[in-house]
Amino acid sequence: MTTAASAPVDRIIDNDLPTAETTPRPLSVNIQALRRRFTPRPAEDAWPATTQPREQVLQRLLSQPFQVDSHTNGHQRLQSRSLTLILDWLETLPGQTWQQRWLASGCDGLGAAWQSRIAQWLDGGGERYPLAGKHSVLPPGMALLIGGDVLRPTMAWFLSQRLGRSLMPVLERARDPEGFALLRKMCATDPGISEANGRMALGRIGVMVAAKGGLVRDVTVGDCVELLDTQAAVQKLTGAGMVCFYRLLHTMGVFPTDAPPSIRMFRSAGQLTCDELVDRYRITCRPIRNLLVEYLRERQPAMDYSSLNHLAFLLAGRFWADLERHHPGIDSLHLPVEVADAWKQRQRFKTITLTENGTRRMVTAPRRNVGDLLTAVRGFYLDLAQWAVEDPARWAPWAVPCPIRAIELVVHSKEKRHRKSRMDTRTRERLPVLPVLVRHVDEHRKKATVLLQAVAAARPGDSVTVADQTLQRAVMIRSPSGKIFADDPTASTRRDLSQEEHEAFWTWAAVEVLRHTGIRIEELTELTHHSFVQYKLPTTGELVPLLQVVPSKTDAERLLLISPELADVLSAIITRIRLATGAVPLVAAYDKHEKIWNPPMPLLFQSRFGTENRPVTGATIRRLLKKALTATGLTDPDGQPLVFTPHDFRRMFITDAIMQGLPPHIAQVICGHRDINVTMGYKAVYPHEAIQAHRAFLDRRRATRPSEEYRTPTAQEWDAFLAHFEKRKVSLGTCGRAFGTPCIHEHACVRCSMLWPDPAQKPRLTEIRDNLIARIAEAEREGWLGEVEGLRISLAAAENKLAQLHPDPAQRSPIELGIPTVTTDH
């Protein structure tokens, strides 16, 4: 079995996760309901402008406001010929209106190839006027027909080609001049909308006006959603500039008051129903599938969505879907012993794919959360048994013996102890180096700010030297986007100084707030301008600033004291995000755990993203922390780059607070824990705590013993102590007996285990050994058997002392361990 090594890898994929988790899933019921609530305007094939006869269409489109005096005669003749040519072609097609004839031609589905279809008709003899360059002649006439609301191609047709240069002037001049003028004014006065994004937003609004008819104020929320879906399908674009048009229309007051503040709400996953949560895993047995759905519905009122989703994953994915995958046709919760044991064994390990330097390999690693899975499955069986007593008609058929015994949960409880040990070790590794990280992010923020200000003050092309680095402000060919770029001559790269300063500031802000408050990452991202409250001390009347943490994991709010250092950080954040009017922008944030959109709030952790303000997400903070730690060069005991997670700051905050004397029950209130044992579980135990406790024990024990034992020794006693060590030198080496103890061998040093032989006395030891051998031979020859036994004991002791001086070379030679073989389980 190959286990996951500690070597750095590029990517890790868990192959044992249910495959349904990675397949695209439909929109949730809530998102579908929201889309049904805001439906797009239906496509029509008949309206007054498209039913007009040919002569009336030509007369209307070839006069003002479709034609302006600034157009040259040649341009007007081109428009007239193009318009006449397209109308001639449309007249050859079936239909009662011009729109019906356009749809019958099939050009709407051709996209940019619609001109080729008309060119084929022209080549077939249908051309009334001898025109060269047929493709260049057609767009002006098509722009007049669309701008005059004679034709309404679909949004996909508009997005598959470039017709804006000829169409937008017609729409703005003849269709809705007041509406488009107001939009242009809004784009010009909004500092967050660049020239390119504003032009793109106007083009998207023009597409909806041209495809659906009416004015700008007639555009609906459903039209915007349809455009966004079509845009993602045709152009594969979903960037920030692509959704700017919705914000403009929302600010303009086109939409109703209950319209979502962001169009991204229509594309989020949303909360899934219990049926959808179970159906992700494609369970074959319908009775079991229905049972799991009903069980989740019973548990749903007492659980948040994140916990419900995880429970569905454990029961439907890790439990029953795994059983169906290995035992096709299984249809009963009453599992045979061999089936249950095989499932437990499979869940103890997982097969993962490691991608390292472009090479993929399969390894097997133990699971760390087996206890959570067994607890969920056992709770499922026990709940069914309990509910069967309360409602037999509904639950009694499913009350069967549980395959998970209580003793198995006790065995797996050691996982929690191992987890506690790992977390304590992690905290002990990171708490001492926290000042290094804090100092680095602060210095990096200051350097990035100074560098940005210096380059921004320079003219394009000028060189600036700041902190021993020379940069040249980049000369931008395109329209300015508001960002400051600089070229680095030494690295031959272009740096986005605005982005560097942005990342440096929010890295510093996140580190400071996390380490001073110990709040969770989701609580950090939900801090708002309304989180600041004041408390008046009843004794002195002093106003104390407090930070209100909204309910998150435990659904209980709490108040934290704002220290002066934290106040400086929060003040810098508010100064950065505040508008020129002094207000903090309202931002709608998506809760990825609950899968819901929160109402617009003045979030503290927000930044400009494209054309709108968006919250700084937890994923962004994790990425910034990782980048900052890489720059510090800190490593863990294995030599790998040190990694900080936002939750590490919470553990370090609790550990440091309790070590500084904060009572644990006060730390529990500050951190928002329901159980004090959870708080103590966060606190890491340091070795010096045990040392201090042992010293305190020694002090208490000494206090109960006679004081004479701890008096200062006299001069005679001290001389006797020193003389003892002077008398430890003997002829064969050094005596190692303790102070004040007699010689137990009556100075027979060869036999004494306390003798440390001196290598320089080897000849003397050899002479003693040879003499003992000769004396033993003489005693045996003379029959002095009483001395033979004693001499042999002395001889063995002498040989032992010689062996201590020169151990057996075989014992000092290296041992060949061999090369281990590694097998891979696929």
Side-chain angles (χ1 to χ4, degrees):
M1 179 183 299
T2 303
T3 57
S6 59
V9 295
D10 301 329
R11 191 180 181 191
I12 300 179
I13 303 176
D14 190 348
N15 300 316
D16 291 344
L17 287 177
T19 55
E21 281 291 309
T22 60
T23 58
R25 61 188 184 190
L27 295 174
S28 66
V29 174
N30 296 331
I31 300 301
Q32 293 178 12
L34 184 63
R35 285 174 172 257
R36 287 193 299 267
R37 181 181 171 190
F38 297 97
T39 57
R41 289 178 288 174
E44 302 177 357
D45 60 358
W47 56 90
T50 193
T51 58
Q52 293 177 347
R54 175 191 177 95
E55 292 74 13
Q56 188 175 354
V57 170
L58 288 172
Q59 182 181 1
R60 184 170 63 90
L61 298 183
L62 294 178
S63 59
Q64 293 184 351
F66 297 95
Q67 301 293 330
V68 294
D69 296 337
S70 60
H71 286 171
T72 62
N73 293 333
H75 181 72
Q76 292 180 357
R77 286 195 301 269
L78 178 61
Q79 286 184 326
S80 176
R81 290 184 179 184
S82 176
L83 182 60
T84 303
L85 182 63
I86 297 176
L87 291 177
D88 289 344
W89 168 69
L90 287 174
E91 285 183 331
T92 63
L93 301 172
Q96 300 297 322
T97 65
W98 298 109
Q99 178 70 10
Q100 292 174 359
R101 298 184 183 107
W102 165 258
L103 296 176
S105 68
C107 289
D108 198 272
L110 297 178
W114 65 276
Q115 302 180 63
S116 301
R117 179 67 60 86
I118 303 179
Q120 292 177 2
W121 175 77
L122 295 175
D123 294 337
E127 180 181 1
R128 181 175 298 181
Y129 302 100
L131 299 175
K134 304 179 181 65
H135 286 70
S136 62
V137 173
L138 300 177
M142 181 61 71
L144 288 177
L145 290 172
I146 296 174
D149 204 20
V150 178
L151 298 180
R152 294 178 183 176
T154 59
M155 294 183 184
W157 185 87
F158 283 106
L159 297 178
S160 61
Q161 58 189 303
R162 296 181 178 180
L163 197 63
R165 292 185 178 180
S166 56
L167 176 61
M168 284 303 299
V170 178
L171 290 175
E172 295 187 40
R173 184 173 60 249
R175 180 70 70 86
D176 189 5
E178 295 181 359
F180 283 102
L182 180 57
L183 288 174
R184 286 193 176 276
K185 182 179 179 180
M186 294 173 61
C187 292
T189 56
D190 192 335
I193 301 179
S194 63
E195 180 181 351
N197 287 333
R199 185 169 57 251
M200 184 180 301
L202 289 177
R204 295 298 183 266
I205 296 174
V207 167
M208 290 185 288
V209 171
K212 298 293 184 177
L215 306 178
V216 172
R217 292 191 174 274
D218 297 326
V219 176
T220 66
V221 176
D223 294 341
C224 297
V225 177
E226 182 182 357
L227 176 63
L228 188 66
D229 293 340
T230 307
Q231 184 174 271
V234 176
Q235 296 181 329
K236 309 298 182 183
L237 297 176
T238 58
M242 302 292 105
V243 299
C244 177
F245 65 89
Y246 185 89
R247 187 166 67 88
L248 283 175
L249 294 174
H250 196 284
T251 306
M252 187 178 176
V254 173
F255 301 146
T257 56
D258 59 344
S262 175
I263 198 173
R264 293 185 292 122
M265 294 184 178
F266 291 91
R267 300 186 63 85
S268 58
Q271 289 188 355
L272 300 179
T273 63
C274 294
D275 297 80
E276 293 172 327
L277 289 174
V278 174
D279 289 339
R280 291 179 301 173
Y281 305 101
R282 304 173 183 175
I283 294 178
T284 304
C285 182
R286 298 301 296 179
I288 297 296
R289 178 263 179 199
N290 296 335
L291 172 66
L292 292 174
V293 171
E294 290 298 319
Y295 178 77
L296 292 178
R297 287 175 181 168
E298 289 290 324
R299 297 287 307 275
Q300 187 174 12
M303 305 178 68
D304 55 45
Y305 178 79
S306 178
S307 302
L308 184 70
N309 183 25
H310 184 63
L311 181 62
F313 167 71
L314 294 178
L315 297 180
R318 292 275 297 277
F319 176 56
W320 194 257
D322 182 84
L323 289 175
E324 287 190 342
R325 188 161 54 248
H326 293 85
H327 305 279
I330 187 171
D331 59 356
S332 175
L333 290 178
H334 194 175
L335 304 180
V337 176
E338 60 275 8
V339 173
D341 291 343
W343 172 77
K344 297 173 192 175
Q345 181 63 28
R346 287 194 302 270
Q347 297 306 314
R348 291 190 180 97
F349 300 93
K350 60 182 178 180
T351 303
I352 60 178
T353 300
L354 300 182
T355 303
E356 183 177 3
N357 299 327
T359 303
R360 303 181 63 181
R361 58 190 180 94
M362 308 285 289
V363 299
T364 301
R367 291 188 186 273
R368 294 181 177 178
N369 59 347
V370 181
D372 297 339
L373 174 61
L374 297 182
T375 301
V377 174
R378 178 174 171 81
F380 171 61
Y381 275 84
L382 297 185
D383 285 341
L384 293 180
Q386 177 65 29
W387 297 348
V389 177
E390 301 172 357
D391 189 358
R394 184 180 180 186
W395 304 106
W398 304 105
V400 296
C402 179
I404 312 296
R405 297 176 298 170
I407 189 61
E408 296 181 68
L409 299 183
V410 175
V411 173
H412 286 286
S413 63
K414 65 180 181 181
E415 293 181 4
K416 296 182 179 180
R417 296 192 295 270
H418 293 169
R419 186 184 309 168
K420 165 66 175 171
S421 177
R422 291 194 304 270
M423 291 301 101
D424 287 353
T425 302
R426 186 181 181 92
T427 302
R428 286 192 291 265
E429 292 174 355
R430 284 154 180 77
L431 188 55
V433 300
L434 179 59
V436 179
L437 176 62
V438 172
R439 183 170 58 254
H440 169 77
V441 296
D442 185 44
E443 294 176 353
H444 183 58
R445 174 184 64 95
K446 294 177 180 178
K447 291 179 181 178
T449 302
V450 172
L451 185 61
L452 177 64
Q453 294 175 350
V455 176
R459 295 178 300 178
D462 292 349
S463 297
V464 177
T465 301
V466 178
D468 298 333
Q469 58 177 335
T470 302
L471 299 177
Q472 183 181 19
R473 181 165 182 177
V475 179
M476 307 302 295
I477 300 177
R478 298 181 179 179
S479 58
S481 60
K483 291 188 174 183
I484 304 299
F485 293 88
D487 296 326
D488 190 348
T490 59
S492 301
T493 58
R494 173 163 292 182
R495 295 170 54 180
D496 186 351
L497 300 184
S498 300
Q499 182 66 19
E500 291 181 6
E501 191 275 338
H502 167 83
E503 293 185 353
F505 176 85
W506 288 114
T507 303
W508 169 79
V511 170
E512 291 295 324
V513 174
L514 287 173
R515 79 182 185 96
H516 283 300
T517 60
I519 60 178
R520 304 178 181 91
I521 182 62
E522 58 269 19
E523 295 170 342
L524 173 74
T525 56
E526 293 177 359
L527 289 177
T528 69
H529 197 202
H530 301 154
S531 299
F532 303 106
V533 296
Q534 292 181 344
Y535 175 71
K536 186 176 182 180
L537 296 178
T539 55
T540 62
E542 179 185 358
L543 293 179
V544 179
L546 300 176
L547 184 67
Q548 181 184 23
V549 181
V550 298
S552 60
K553 186 175 181 180
T554 58
D555 292 332
E557 68 174 4
R558 60 189 190 276
L559 297 173
L560 304 178
L561 181 64
I562 299 179
S563 63
E565 296 83 2
L566 179 60
D568 292 340
V569 178
L570 297 176
S571 176
I573 295 175
I574 295 176
T575 303
R576 183 181 184 89
I577 65 176
R578 180 175 288 167
L579 300 176
T581 59
V584 176
L586 301 180
V587 178
Y590 181 70
D591 191 335
K592 69 174 185 177
H593 299 288
E594 294 299 317
K595 305 298 182 185
I596 59 174
W597 283 89
N598 296 321
M601 296 181 294
L603 297 179
L604 296 184
F605 279 77
Q606 60 170 283
S607 62
R608 199 71 179 178
F609 185 83
T611 61
E612 61 180 349
N613 280 29
R614 293 188 183 181
V616 179
T617 62
T620 300
I621 294 177
R622 292 184 180 90
R623 178 180 60 83
L624 295 179
L625 286 176
K626 182 178 180 181
K627 187 175 181 179
L629 283 163
T630 302
T632 60
L634 296 173
T635 59
D636 58 17
D638 296 331
Q640 302 299 327
L642 193 64
V643 177
F644 271 70
T645 66
H647 216 69
D648 287 329
F649 291 92
R650 183 171 175 82
R651 297 181 180 278
M652 290 186 291
F653 174 83
I654 296 175
T655 300
D656 184 64
I658 296 180
M659 288 178 57
Q660 297 300 326
L662 183 69
H665 67 282
I666 302 298
Q668 173 193 355
V669 175
I670 293 177
C671 297
H673 290 151
R674 293 179 178 176
D675 188 355
I676 195 173
N677 292 323
V678 178
T679 306
M680 297 306 298
Y682 274 57
K683 176 185 175 294
V685 178
Y686 276 76
H688 72 267
E689 292 178 321
I691 296 174
Q692 292 177 353
H694 188 228
R695 287 180 174 177
F697 166 74
L698 294 179
D699 293 338
R700 291 192 301 270
R701 190 180 66 175
R702 287 171 180 171
T704 60
R705 299 184 66 177
S707 59
E708 292 79 7
E709 298 183 6
Y710 302 101
R711 59 182 175 81
T712 303
T714 62
Q716 293 80 3
E717 292 173 338
W718 185 251
D719 292 340
F721 177 76
L722 296 178
H724 163 78
F725 293 98
E726 294 177 356
K727 298 177 181 178
R728 290 172 63 177
K729 185 67 176 177
V730 294
S731 60
L732 296 178
T734 304
C735 179
R737 72 179 187 274
F739 172 73
T741 58
C743 179
I744 60 176
H745 289 113
E746 298 179 356
H747 302 285
C749 296
V750 163
R751 296 186 179 186
C752 184
S753 59
M754 292 295 177
L755 174 66
W756 298 343
D758 184 2
Q761 301 301 324
K762 179 185 176 183
R764 182 183 295 274
L765 275 173
T766 304
E767 181 180 354
I768 292 175
R769 180 198 62 184
D770 296 340
N771 181 265
L772 289 172
I773 293 174
R775 291 178 60 186
I776 291 173
E778 179 185 4
E780 290 177 344
R781 192 171 51 251
E782 298 295 335
W784 303 331
L785 299 181
E787 288 193 20
V788 171
E789 183 177 359
L791 292 174
R792 286 179 178 175
I793 293 176
S794 299
L795 176 62
E799 291 178 344
N800 184 35
K801 299 301 180 184
L802 287 173
Q804 292 179 17
L805 293 177
H806 296 283
D808 187 1
Q811 298 179 0
R812 293 184 286 110
S813 61
I815 300 175
E816 180 64 33
L817 298 178
I819 300 177
T821 59
V822 180
T823 59
T824 303
D825 297 335
H826 294 278

